[in-house]
Amino acid sequence: MDLGTTFLGLKLANPLVPSASPLSRDLGMAKRLEDAGAAALVMYSLFEEEVRHDEEAAARFIHEQYTGFNEADDFFPVPDSYASIMDEYLEQLQALKQSLSIPVIASLNGVHDEGWIHYARELEQAGADALELNVYYVAGNIDESAAEVESRYVEMLYTVRQQVKLPVCMKLSPQFSSVGHFVKSLQAAGANGVTLFNRFYQPDIDLESREVSNTLTLSSSYESLLRIHWLALLYGRVQLDMSATGGFHRAEDCLKAIMAGASTVQLCSVLLQQGAEVLSTILQDMREWLEENEYETLDELRGSVSQQHAIDPAAYERLNYVELLHSHKNPAGIWR
Protein backbone atom coordinates (compact mmCIF):
# COMPACT_ATOMS: atom_id res chain seq x y z
CA MET A 1 0.00 0.00 0.00
CA ASP A 2 1.55 3.29 -1.17
CA LEU A 3 0.41 6.22 0.98
CA GLY A 4 3.01 8.54 -0.52
CA THR A 5 2.08 12.09 -1.47
CA THR A 6 3.70 15.36 -2.51
CA PHE A 7 3.17 18.68 -0.77
CA LEU A 8 4.99 21.94 -1.52
CA GLY A 9 7.43 19.98 -3.65
CA LEU A 10 8.28 17.71 -0.70
CA LYS A 11 7.90 13.95 -1.17
CA LEU A 12 6.17 12.56 1.90
CA ALA A 13 5.69 8.97 3.03
CA ASN A 14 2.02 9.61 3.85
CA PRO A 15 -0.41 12.55 4.07
CA LEU A 16 -0.47 13.02 7.87
CA VAL A 17 1.32 16.11 9.19
CA PRO A 18 1.15 17.48 12.75
CA SER A 19 0.13 21.13 12.42
CA ALA A 20 1.56 24.11 14.27
CA SER A 21 1.19 23.42 18.00
CA PRO A 22 3.17 23.39 21.27
CA LEU A 23 4.10 19.75 20.56
CA SER A 24 6.98 20.84 18.33
CA ARG A 25 8.60 22.78 21.18
CA ASP A 26 9.83 19.49 22.66
CA LEU A 27 12.40 17.43 20.74
CA GLY A 28 11.34 14.23 22.45
CA MET A 29 7.71 14.75 21.45
CA ALA A 30 8.73 15.62 17.89
CA LYS A 31 10.63 12.34 17.69
CA ARG A 32 7.60 10.45 19.01
CA LEU A 33 5.48 12.05 16.29
CA GLU A 34 7.98 10.94 13.64
CA ASP A 35 8.16 7.42 15.06
CA ALA A 36 4.35 7.21 15.07
CA GLY A 37 4.27 8.02 11.35
CA ALA A 38 4.24 11.79 10.89
CA ALA A 39 5.38 12.51 7.33
CA ALA A 40 6.43 16.11 8.08
CA LEU A 41 6.14 18.56 10.94
CA VAL A 42 4.85 22.13 11.07
CA MET A 43 6.59 24.02 13.87
CA TYR A 44 4.76 26.07 16.45
CA SER A 45 4.11 29.59 15.15
CA LEU A 46 6.53 32.45 15.49
CA PHE A 47 4.24 35.36 16.42
CA GLU A 48 5.06 38.80 15.08
CA GLU A 49 3.82 40.49 18.26
CA GLU A 50 6.08 38.40 20.50
CA VAL A 51 9.15 39.05 18.37
CA ARG A 52 8.50 42.79 18.22
CA HIS A 53 7.86 43.04 21.97
CA ASP A 54 11.01 41.06 22.68
CA GLU A 55 13.12 43.28 20.41
CA GLU A 56 11.75 46.44 22.01
CA ALA A 57 12.39 45.10 25.51
CA ALA A 58 15.97 44.23 24.57
CA ALA A 59 16.52 47.73 23.22
CA ARG A 60 15.20 49.31 26.42
CA PHE A 61 16.90 47.17 29.03
CA ILE A 62 20.15 46.23 27.32
CA HIS A 63 21.10 48.99 24.92
CA GLU A 64 19.39 52.01 26.51
CA GLN A 65 20.37 51.73 30.15
CA TYR A 66 20.43 55.10 31.88
CA THR A 67 20.48 56.03 35.56
CA GLY A 68 20.79 59.80 35.36
CA PHE A 69 24.41 59.64 36.55
CA ASN A 70 26.79 59.61 33.62
CA GLU A 71 29.63 58.23 35.73
CA ALA A 72 27.60 55.17 36.75
CA ASP A 73 26.17 54.30 33.35
CA ASP A 74 29.41 52.66 32.24
CA PHE A 75 29.14 50.13 35.06
CA PHE A 76 25.94 48.54 33.69
CA PRO A 77 26.89 45.21 32.14
CA VAL A 78 25.80 44.61 28.56
CA PRO A 79 25.56 40.88 27.80
CA ASP A 80 27.77 39.58 25.00
CA SER A 81 24.78 37.61 23.74
CA TYR A 82 21.05 37.80 24.31
CA ALA A 83 18.81 34.88 23.39
CA SER A 84 15.77 36.51 21.81
CA ILE A 85 12.53 34.75 20.92
CA MET A 86 13.72 34.72 17.31
CA ASP A 87 17.02 33.14 18.36
CA GLU A 88 15.18 30.47 20.35
CA TYR A 89 12.93 29.67 17.40
CA LEU A 90 15.89 29.37 15.03
CA GLU A 91 17.72 27.14 17.51
CA GLN A 92 14.67 24.89 17.85
CA LEU A 93 14.33 24.72 14.07
CA GLN A 94 17.95 23.65 13.71
CA ALA A 95 17.59 21.12 16.54
CA LEU A 96 14.51 19.61 14.88
CA LYS A 97 16.33 19.39 11.57
CA GLN A 98 19.19 17.54 13.25
CA SER A 99 16.94 15.18 15.23
CA LEU A 100 14.36 14.30 12.58
CA SER A 101 14.57 12.79 9.11
CA ILE A 102 11.20 14.24 8.01
CA PRO A 103 10.74 17.75 6.55
CA VAL A 104 10.28 20.61 9.01
CA ILE A 105 7.98 23.48 7.98
CA ALA A 106 8.43 26.80 9.79
CA SER A 107 5.34 28.85 10.67
CA LEU A 108 5.12 32.65 10.71
CA ASN A 109 2.05 34.26 12.27
CA GLY A 110 1.58 38.00 11.83
CA VAL A 111 -0.34 40.86 10.25
CA HIS A 112 2.27 43.34 8.98
CA ASP A 113 4.73 42.91 6.15
CA GLU A 114 7.70 44.88 7.54
CA GLY A 115 9.17 42.06 9.57
CA TRP A 116 8.09 39.12 7.44
CA ILE A 117 10.89 39.43 4.90
CA HIS A 118 13.59 39.51 7.57
CA TYR A 119 12.09 36.62 9.53
CA ALA A 120 11.48 34.52 6.41
CA ARG A 121 15.09 34.91 5.28
CA GLU A 122 16.39 33.79 8.66
CA LEU A 123 14.14 30.74 8.68
CA GLU A 124 15.34 29.79 5.22
CA GLN A 125 18.97 30.15 6.26
CA ALA A 126 18.32 28.04 9.37
CA GLY A 127 17.24 25.13 7.19
CA ALA A 128 13.43 25.15 7.06
CA ASP A 129 12.12 22.91 4.27
CA ALA A 130 9.12 25.17 3.64
CA LEU A 131 7.34 28.15 5.14
CA GLU A 132 3.74 28.47 6.29
CA LEU A 133 2.40 32.03 6.44
CA ASN A 134 -0.43 32.22 8.92
CA VAL A 135 -2.01 35.66 8.61
CA TYR A 136 -4.30 35.49 11.65
CA TYR A 137 -6.23 38.68 10.97
CA VAL A 138 -9.71 39.41 12.34
CA ALA A 139 -11.24 42.06 10.08
CA GLY A 140 -12.91 44.09 12.83
CA ASN A 141 -12.49 47.49 11.17
CA ILE A 142 -15.86 48.30 9.57
CA ASP A 143 -14.21 50.88 7.32
CA GLU A 144 -11.96 48.24 5.74
CA SER A 145 -13.38 46.56 2.64
CA ALA A 146 -13.14 42.87 1.74
CA ALA A 147 -10.82 43.80 -1.14
CA GLU A 148 -8.48 45.60 1.28
CA VAL A 149 -8.39 42.59 3.60
CA GLU A 150 -7.53 40.24 0.75
CA SER A 151 -4.92 42.67 -0.56
CA ARG A 152 -3.17 42.51 2.83
CA TYR A 153 -2.66 38.76 2.40
CA VAL A 154 -1.64 38.92 -1.25
CA GLU A 155 0.89 41.71 -0.69
CA MET A 156 2.52 39.89 2.23
CA LEU A 157 2.80 36.71 0.21
CA TYR A 158 4.18 38.51 -2.84
CA THR A 159 6.77 40.37 -0.75
CA VAL A 160 8.00 37.19 0.95
CA ARG A 161 7.92 35.25 -2.31
CA GLN A 162 10.35 37.72 -3.89
CA GLN A 163 12.90 37.22 -1.11
CA VAL A 164 13.00 33.49 -0.38
CA LYS A 165 13.30 30.36 -2.50
CA LEU A 166 11.48 28.22 0.03
CA PRO A 167 8.10 26.74 -0.92
CA VAL A 168 5.46 28.97 0.69
CA CYS A 169 2.02 27.91 1.90
CA MET A 170 -0.72 30.32 3.02
CA LYS A 171 -2.87 29.23 5.94
CA LEU A 172 -6.31 30.78 5.54
CA SER A 173 -9.49 31.25 7.50
CA PRO A 174 -12.88 30.46 5.93
CA GLN A 175 -14.05 34.05 6.45
CA PHE A 176 -13.60 35.37 2.93
CA SER A 177 -16.43 36.43 0.66
CA SER A 178 -15.07 34.43 -2.30
CA VAL A 179 -12.67 31.74 -1.16
CA GLY A 180 -12.09 30.32 -4.63
CA HIS A 181 -11.20 33.66 -6.23
CA PHE A 182 -8.96 34.52 -3.30
CA VAL A 183 -7.04 31.25 -3.53
CA LYS A 184 -6.58 31.86 -7.25
CA SER A 185 -5.15 35.31 -6.43
CA LEU A 186 -2.69 33.73 -4.00
CA GLN A 187 -1.64 31.27 -6.66
CA ALA A 188 -0.92 34.16 -9.03
CA ALA A 189 1.13 35.87 -6.29
CA GLY A 190 3.38 32.84 -5.93
CA ALA A 191 1.84 30.56 -3.32
CA ASN A 192 2.87 26.92 -3.64
CA GLY A 193 -0.01 25.77 -1.49
CA VAL A 194 -2.86 26.68 0.83
CA THR A 195 -3.99 25.22 4.14
CA LEU A 196 -7.75 25.21 4.71
CA PHE A 197 -8.74 26.40 7.30
CA ASN A 198 -7.36 28.14 10.35
CA ARG A 199 -9.61 28.12 13.40
CA PHE A 200 -10.38 31.55 14.84
CA TYR A 201 -10.64 31.07 18.59
CA GLN A 202 -13.70 32.93 19.81
CA PRO A 203 -13.73 35.00 23.02
CA ASP A 204 -16.42 34.15 25.56
CA ILE A 205 -18.22 36.31 28.14
CA ASP A 206 -18.16 35.49 31.83
CA LEU A 207 -21.67 36.22 33.14
CA GLU A 208 -20.46 36.60 36.72
CA SER A 209 -17.55 39.01 36.17
CA ARG A 210 -18.95 40.60 32.99
CA GLU A 211 -15.49 40.21 31.49
CA VAL A 212 -14.38 38.77 28.19
CA SER A 213 -12.71 35.43 28.80
CA ASN A 214 -10.44 33.46 26.52
CA THR A 215 -10.94 29.72 26.38
CA LEU A 216 -9.23 27.14 24.20
CA THR A 217 -11.77 24.81 22.64
CA LEU A 218 -10.38 21.88 20.71
CA SER A 219 -11.93 20.86 17.41
CA SER A 220 -14.41 18.09 16.63
CA SER A 221 -14.81 15.96 13.51
CA TYR A 222 -17.86 18.01 12.50
CA GLU A 223 -15.60 20.98 11.74
CA SER A 224 -13.80 18.96 9.06
CA LEU A 225 -16.88 19.14 6.81
CA LEU A 226 -16.37 22.82 5.97
CA ARG A 227 -12.78 22.06 4.96
CA ILE A 228 -13.82 19.06 2.88
CA HIS A 229 -16.48 21.16 1.13
CA TRP A 230 -14.01 23.79 -0.06
CA LEU A 231 -11.34 21.26 -0.97
CA ALA A 232 -13.88 19.59 -3.24
CA LEU A 233 -14.89 22.89 -4.84
CA LEU A 234 -11.28 23.98 -5.49
CA TYR A 235 -9.72 20.70 -6.61
CA GLY A 236 -8.78 20.83 -10.28
CA ARG A 237 -9.61 24.53 -10.53
CA VAL A 238 -6.41 25.83 -8.91
CA GLN A 239 -2.89 24.66 -9.60
CA LEU A 240 -1.41 24.52 -6.12
CA ASP A 241 -1.26 21.98 -3.31
CA MET A 242 -4.02 21.96 -0.70
CA SER A 243 -3.72 20.84 2.90
CA ALA A 244 -6.69 20.27 5.20
CA THR A 245 -6.64 21.26 8.86
CA GLY A 246 -9.25 21.68 11.57
CA GLY A 247 -11.44 18.83 12.79
CA PHE A 248 -9.52 15.81 11.53
CA HIS A 249 -9.55 13.18 14.26
CA ARG A 250 -10.15 9.81 12.55
CA ALA A 251 -9.04 7.89 9.49
CA GLU A 252 -12.50 8.49 8.02
CA ASP A 253 -12.04 12.28 8.27
CA CYS A 254 -8.65 12.10 6.58
CA LEU A 255 -9.84 9.82 3.78
CA LYS A 256 -12.71 12.20 3.00
CA ALA A 257 -10.30 15.14 2.79
CA ILE A 258 -8.15 13.24 0.30
CA MET A 259 -11.21 12.21 -1.71
CA ALA A 260 -12.09 15.90 -1.88
CA GLY A 261 -8.60 16.82 -3.14
CA ALA A 262 -6.20 17.36 -0.22
CA SER A 263 -2.52 16.50 -0.62
CA THR A 264 -1.99 16.37 3.14
CA VAL A 265 -4.07 16.44 6.31
CA GLN A 266 -2.79 18.37 9.31
CA LEU A 267 -3.62 17.12 12.80
CA CYS A 268 -3.59 18.99 16.09
CA SER A 269 -6.47 18.54 18.55
CA VAL A 270 -6.45 14.75 18.30
CA LEU A 271 -2.70 14.72 19.09
CA LEU A 272 -3.20 17.00 22.09
CA GLN A 273 -6.04 14.81 23.35
CA GLN A 274 -4.70 11.31 22.65
CA GLY A 275 -0.94 11.68 22.24
CA ALA A 276 1.48 11.18 19.39
CA GLU A 277 0.82 7.46 19.06
CA VAL A 278 -2.71 8.01 17.72
CA LEU A 279 -1.00 8.83 14.40
CA SER A 280 -0.07 5.18 13.89
CA THR A 281 -3.65 4.12 14.59
CA ILE A 282 -5.05 6.57 12.03
CA LEU A 283 -2.50 5.43 9.42
CA GLN A 284 -3.29 1.77 10.00
CA ASP A 285 -7.03 2.40 9.73
CA MET A 286 -6.42 4.28 6.46
CA ARG A 287 -4.39 1.40 5.04
CA GLU A 288 -7.07 -1.12 5.95
CA TRP A 289 -9.82 0.95 4.30
CA LEU A 290 -7.77 1.42 1.13
CA GLU A 291 -7.02 -2.30 0.94
CA GLU A 292 -10.66 -3.26 1.51
CA ASN A 293 -11.70 -0.89 -1.26
CA GLU A 294 -8.94 -2.09 -3.61
CA TYR A 295 -6.88 1.08 -3.85
CA GLU A 296 -3.16 0.58 -4.41
CA THR A 297 -2.06 4.20 -4.06
CA LEU A 298 -3.34 7.35 -2.43
CA ASP A 299 -3.21 9.15 -5.78
CA GLU A 300 -6.03 6.93 -7.04
CA LEU A 301 -8.25 8.28 -4.28
CA ARG A 302 -7.30 11.96 -4.42
CA GLY A 303 -9.99 14.21 -5.85
CA SER A 304 -12.26 11.27 -6.74
CA VAL A 305 -15.23 12.90 -4.98
CA SER A 306 -14.36 16.52 -5.73
CA GLN A 307 -17.04 18.54 -7.45
CA GLN A 308 -15.45 17.86 -10.83
CA HIS A 309 -15.63 14.09 -10.31
CA ALA A 310 -18.60 13.66 -7.98
CA ILE A 311 -21.56 11.56 -9.11
CA ASP A 312 -23.78 14.49 -8.10
CA PRO A 313 -21.78 17.74 -8.48
CA ALA A 314 -24.81 19.81 -7.42
CA ALA A 315 -24.52 18.29 -3.94
CA TYR A 316 -21.78 20.86 -3.24
CA GLU A 317 -23.95 23.81 -4.27
CA ARG A 318 -27.19 25.58 -3.32
CA LEU A 319 -29.47 22.82 -4.61
CA ASN A 320 -28.24 20.52 -1.86
CA TYR A 321 -29.04 23.20 0.75
CA VAL A 322 -32.63 23.50 -0.48
CA GLU A 323 -33.19 19.74 -0.70
CA LEU A 324 -31.69 19.17 2.73
CA LEU A 325 -34.02 21.65 4.41
CA HIS A 326 -37.06 20.21 2.63
CA SER A 327 -36.10 16.69 3.69
CA HIS A 328 -36.43 17.44 7.42
CA LYS A 329 -39.18 15.55 9.22
CA ASN A 330 -40.39 16.07 12.77
CA PRO A 331 -39.84 13.18 15.19
CA ALA A 332 -42.82 10.91 15.81
CA GLY A 333 -45.29 12.49 18.24
CA ILE A 334 -44.24 16.09 17.47
CA TRP A 335 -47.09 18.13 16.00
CA ARG A 336 -46.74 21.46 14.23
Side-chain angles (χ1 to χ4, degrees), residues 23-34:
L23 295 175
S24 57
R25 292 180 180 271
D26 181 83
L27 291 179
M29 175 57 72
K31 187 61 179 174
R32 283 174 57 191
L33 289 168
E34 180 183 41

Side-chain angles (χ1 to χ4, degrees), residues 25-55:
R25 292 180 180 271
D26 181 83
L27 291 179
M29 175 57 72
K31 187 61 179 174
R32 283 174 57 191
L33 289 168
E34 180 183 41
D35 292 342
L41 176 68
V42 181
M43 283 186 68
Y44 62 93
S45 290
L46 180 65
F47 287 89
E48 173 191 348
E49 294 89 342
E50 290 184 339
V51 175
R52 288 182 182 277
H53 181 270
D54 188 60
E55 291 173 347

Side-chain angles (χ1 to χ4, degrees), residues 45-229:
S45 290
L46 180 65
F47 287 89
E48 173 191 348
E49 294 89 342
E50 290 184 339
V51 175
R52 288 182 182 277
H53 181 270
D54 188 60
E55 291 173 347
E56 292 169 0
R60 287 197 306 272
F61 298 112
I62 295 179
H63 303 295
E64 299 177 6
Q65 302 179 75
Y66 179 67
T67 65
F69 298 95
N70 293 333
E71 297 83 357
D73 288 339
D74 293 337
F75 291 96
F76 276 98
V78 176
D80 294 331
S81 62
Y82 170 74
S84 66
I85 288 177
M86 186 67 187
D87 292 332
E88 292 173 355
Y89 193 91
L90 294 173
E91 289 174 4
Q92 182 68 358
L93 169 57
Q94 293 172 335
L96 288 168
K97 288 292 297 176
Q98 292 173 0
S99 301
L100 307 177
S101 60
I102 58 176
V104 178
I105 301 171
S107 175
L108 273 177
N109 189 314
V111 293
H112 300 98
D113 59 2
E114 300 89 45
W116 288 67
I117 299 176
H118 173 66
Y119 304 150
R121 284 175 179 166
E122 292 203 46
L123 293 170
E124 182 176 42
Q125 293 171 1
D129 294 289
L131 178 62
E132 177 183 86
L133 297 183
N134 184 355
V135 188
Y136 193 104
Y137 179 65
V138 179
N141 182 356
I142 62 173
D143 295 319
E144 187 175 33
S145 69
E148 290 173 315
V149 172
E150 293 184 7
S151 178
R152 177 191 295 266
Y153 284 70
V154 174
E155 289 175 5
M156 286 184 188
L157 168 64
Y158 182 79
T159 302
V160 171
R161 185 72 282 175
Q162 300 307 302
Q163 301 297 326
V164 298
K165 297 179 180 179
L166 284 176
V168 178
C169 179
M170 292 292 289
K171 189 171 187 178
L172 307 178
S173 85
Q175 298 179 353
F176 291 97
S177 55
S178 180
V179 173
H181 181 271
F182 182 43
V183 170
K184 190 174 180 180
S185 298
L186 294 172
Q187 174 185 308
N192 301 101
V194 290
T195 299
L196 309 177
F197 290 112
N198 199 350
R199 299 176 69 236
F200 278 173
Y201 295 102
Q202 306 302 332
D204 200 355
I205 296 177
D206 188 311
L207 291 177
E208 295 298 324
S209 66
R210 276 66 161 179
E211 294 180 345
V212 176
S213 60
N214 294 314
T215 57
L216 176 62
T217 303
L218 299 180
S219 69
S220 67
S221 288
Y222 176 77
E223 294 179 53
S224 69
L225 299 180
L226 176 64
R227 283 80 179 159
I228 291 167
H229 189 172

Side-chain angles (χ1 to χ4, degrees), residues 269-299:
S269 291
V270 67
L271 300 177
L272 295 174
Q273 291 172 324
Q274 301 184 41
E277 288 67 31
V278 71
L279 264 169
S280 60
T281 301
I282 295 174
L283 279 172
Q284 182 58 31
D285 290 345
M286 290 176 66
R287 289 191 186 96
E288 292 177 359
W289 187 93
L290 290 165
E291 289 173 359
E292 291 172 2
N293 290 272
E294 301 182 350
Y295 287 95
E296 295 183 1
T297 69
L298 207 63
D299 287 337

